[in-house]
Amino acid sequence: MLDNLLLFFQYPPLAIDVILNGLLIGAIFALAAYGMALVWGVLNIVNVVQGELVVLGGYVTFLLVQSGMPPLLGLPVSAVVMFCVGWLIYRAVIFRVVDKDIFISILATFGLSILIQQLANLLFGSEVRTVDAELGSLHLLGGTVTLAWIKILAFGLALVAGAVLWLFLRHARLGQAIRATAQNPRAARILGIDTDRVYAMTYALNAALCGAAGSLAVMAWTIHPYVGLPYTVRSFMVVVVAGVGNVAGVIAAGLGLGALENAAGFIFGVEFQIAFVFALMVAILVWRNARAARKRSHLQ
């Protein structure tokens, strides 16, 4: 560990490679976190099944490539397929826990998470899956820094998705209905907004974003049936740090988390990378609780 830490600081090109690759991977985290922020802000649900939606999106792309389709075509197809899956999940389960205690929604989505994990294991097996995006890599600083083009594509897509989402929520009729429902569901219903439709479309849009994130993840990294929980934790952390409804904050927090996680994986070892993510989540929750306690004491 100490040797890796010294190498990280003594050899700048290596540090640049680790941090840049982490930032690019963090764009995938931001894509998934956009969806969690939407569901949390509009439906008031902490969507524990978020990571499993990412994994399903990855499997859609994997199956398409196995059938002979170009890898990049799996990106829009995964988003569309997962939009439909998200709508079905809402109609089957999620609509029953909207407006209920948040603990009930956590239990319901946790149950869905376990169900999808087991179904994925049954259908696809427990093997680690990956897809070659066939885009090659970009080499910088004389070849000492290597960036896969699929990761650069993920970074660009995350920025574009954030801008499109912001414009959609600001100017589209459905986006304005989503914002109105998030602010006051009862008043939105009185004004004639079909809040049930808004909830269904919001959850489906969240699943589409997860599908895109999963498609990029299987091309830039790997997936398997039990990798969903880390994606859920990452999305939760990003939203907690950025705040619900802060699109720019989500992309910044996602990129920062990716860089920190990649650096931790290099310094402490890949086997401790996920442990670092969970430890960071605990630290963030403690920090937020302490900050909230200070605000309450000042108000008193």
Side-chain angles (χ1 to χ4, degrees):
M1 184 190 305
L2 184 59
D3 291 339
N4 289 344
L5 183 62
L6 291 174
L7 185 62
F8 186 80
F9 287 104
Q10 290 177 352
Y11 190 59
L14 177 61
I16 293 172
D17 183 86
V18 170
I19 291 172
L20 283 180
N21 274 283
L23 286 170
L24 297 180
I25 284 291
I28 298 175
F29 304 160
L31 268 179
Y34 287 146
M36 177 168 275
L38 272 175
V39 171
W40 197 345
V42 179
L43 281 74
N44 194 31
I45 288 176
V46 178
N47 194 42
V48 180
V49 76
Q50 192 80 359
E52 277 63 39
L53 298 179
V54 173
V55 173
L56 285 180
Y59 276 122
V60 171
T61 294
F62 175 77
L63 291 176
L64 290 172
V65 172
Q66 290 293 102
S67 67
M69 294 181 68
L72 290 182
L73 188 59
L75 183 59
V77 173
S78 293
V80 172
V81 169
M82 290 309 299
F83 181 92
C84 298
V85 170
W87 189 88
L88 290 173
I89 289 175
Y90 175 84
R91 290 300 177 195
V93 177
I94 302 300
F95 84 97
R96 303 175 189 275
V97 298
V98 175
D99 296 330
K100 299 290 194 302
D101 186 90
I102 196 168
F103 185 67
I104 296 175
S105 70
I106 291 174
L107 285 177
T109 53
F110 182 65
L112 279 172
S113 169
I114 295 174
L115 176 62
I116 292 174
Q117 282 179 11
Q118 298 305 316
L119 287 175
N121 185 52
L122 180 66
L123 295 173
F124 308 111
S126 60
E127 295 85 359
V128 173
R129 306 291 189 180
T130 188
V131 168
D132 183 5
E134 302 174 359
L135 294 179
S137 300
L138 174 67
H139 301 282
L140 303 173
L141 302 179
T144 55
V145 176
T146 302
L147 305 175
W149 277 108
I150 187 60
K151 295 180 181 178
I152 298 173
L153 175 64
F155 178 80
L157 182 62
L159 294 180
V160 171
V164 170
L165 184 61
W166 185 85
L167 290 171
F168 170 75
L169 293 174
R170 290 282 175 182
H171 301 293
R173 190 171 183 84
L174 177 59
Q176 292 171 350
I178 289 173
R179 289 171 54 211
T181 304
Q183 291 172 7
N184 194 321
R186 182 177 297 178
R189 282 192 290 269
I190 292 172
L191 292 173
I193 294 174
D194 185 349
T195 55
D196 182 63
R197 176 176 175 272
V198 168
Y199 290 149
M201 295 299 291
T202 300
Y203 199 86
L205 180 59
N206 160 56
L209 289 167
C210 287
S215 179
L216 291 167
V218 76
M219 290 188 280
W221 221 348
T222 60
I223 60 165
H224 59 79
Y226 303 104
V227 78
L229 181 58
Y231 281 103
T232 299
V233 172
R234 289 166 180 140
S235 298
F236 178 78
M237 288 168 53
V238 168
V239 175
V240 167
V241 171
V244 175
N246 185 358
V247 174
V250 166
I251 184 65
L255 297 179
L257 174 60
L260 284 173
E261 184 180 330
N262 215 39
F266 176 80
I267 294 170
F268 301 114
V270 177
E271 64 272 21
F272 294 105
Q273 189 165 331
I274 299 302
F276 170 80
V277 173
F278 281 85
L280 187 59
M281 182 187 71
V282 172
I284 288 172
L285 290 176
V286 170
W287 167 69
R288 288 297 297 263
N289 184 60
R291 194 173 74 165
R294 284 198 300 270
K295 285 184 177 179
R296 285 195 297 269
S297 65
H298 289 324
L299 290 174
Q300 292 173 357

